[in-house]
Amino acid sequence: MPAVALAVTDGMLHYELSVAVEVFGSDLTHTVDPWYDFALCGNGPVRVGRFRLEPDHGLDHLARADTVIVPGWADPDREPPADLVEAVRAAHAAGARVASLCTGAFVLGAAGLLDGRRATTHWAHTRELARRHPLATVDPDVLYVDNGDVLTSAGKAAAMDLCLHLVRLDHGSANANRIARRLVVPPHRDGGQAQFIATPLPEPGNHPLADLLPWVLERLDQPLTVEDLARRARMSSRHLGRHFTHLTGTTPLKWLHTQRIRHAQQLLETTNATVDTIAAATGMGTATTLRRHFHRAVGVPPDTYRRTFGSSRSLRDGGRERR
């Protein structure tokens, strides 16, 4: 019977913690026998949101588990508790498979388990995770990353994706699908968290691109070049690139491409326009080009995205969109 230990301490996110308890801590022997030997581990009573938990064991028990789950950490701007970090590090050294849910990745990072590995976390915190742990390769687009002995998931619902993935590894796809049906969730979701990411524009203000960015957004249907943007901003292309990197963290062309994709998402969500029409409106040219770039950036094709996020209006005719 595989042993799963859930590492808990004050300040963890109750949703991710509850997902792990529901999947690994429920009695599912009627579906898979043997199921998991589950333990809640923490050094004393733990406050999680408005709830108080009484762990079964101390954090030192993590080292006895086959799999250690670290739920989301509510305040990733703070360093996680040293006793939690040390216990997770010791468990991995003892041979445990360690998985983090959402911002629990910051605990794994503090334990040194992300160095030299791919990792992810909630998209809103991927930059901070990458900044704090430069030896890790942080992927902001995926739902989860499996390195074998170290696994990380993106935010919220992706915690369920990773938990079901662990069940699939331990008990096979058929049993993971049965558990997913019991929980009324998909056994596997297409795409990554890129489809959920909101990419805000820089705040309006007194900066060199304040007039340029709105001008560009009104002309996404046009074949703009870096030279066009530089000419509009009345600066050299090199100077423009420096301002873009400082303000947006990316190059002018990458920023422009991202805005085209985001505009396509908005049109798929709110209109019944065909993919051909949206391709023209976003400067992608053809439906084939839009589909290729959209799938690469968002992780799913445009029609799948529309079915997931579209309003009643966009779904009414969009489900029968012309190819």
Side-chain angles (χ1 to χ4, degrees), residues 208-209 211-212 227-237 239-240 243:
L209 304 182
D211 294 329
L212 176 65
E227 289 71 24
D228 293 329
L229 272 59
R231 189 161 43 249
R232 176 68 187 183
R234 297 178 180 173
M235 60 182 68
S236 68
S237 297
H239 199 191
L240 177 74
H243 282 301

Side-chain angles (χ1 to χ4, degrees), residues 235-319:
M235 60 182 68
S236 68
S237 297
R238 180 176 295 181
H239 199 191
L240 177 74
R242 285 199 293 267
H243 282 301
F244 256 93
T245 300
H246 175 73
L247 192 63
T248 70
T250 188
T251 66
L253 280 182
K254 287 182 179 179
W255 181 87
L256 177 59
H257 183 72
T258 298
Q259 302 316 309
R260 296 190 195 280
I261 295 296
R262 297 305 175 231
H263 188 38
Q265 288 179 286
Q266 182 183 32
L267 293 174
L268 288 165
E269 292 171 14
T270 60
T271 76
N272 60 7
T274 65
V275 173
D276 292 278
T277 301
I278 293 174
T282 57
M284 292 288 186
T286 68
T288 300
T289 300
L290 172 60
R291 286 194 180 96
R292 183 174 68 253
H293 288 295
F294 193 95
H295 199 166
R296 183 180 301 159
V298 181
V300 294
D303 54 343
T304 301
Y305 184 87
R306 172 172 265 157
R307 286 196 297 271
T308 304
F309 295 100
S311 64
S312 58
R313 179 189 175 194
S314 69
L315 290 172
R316 185 171 59 248
D317 297 319

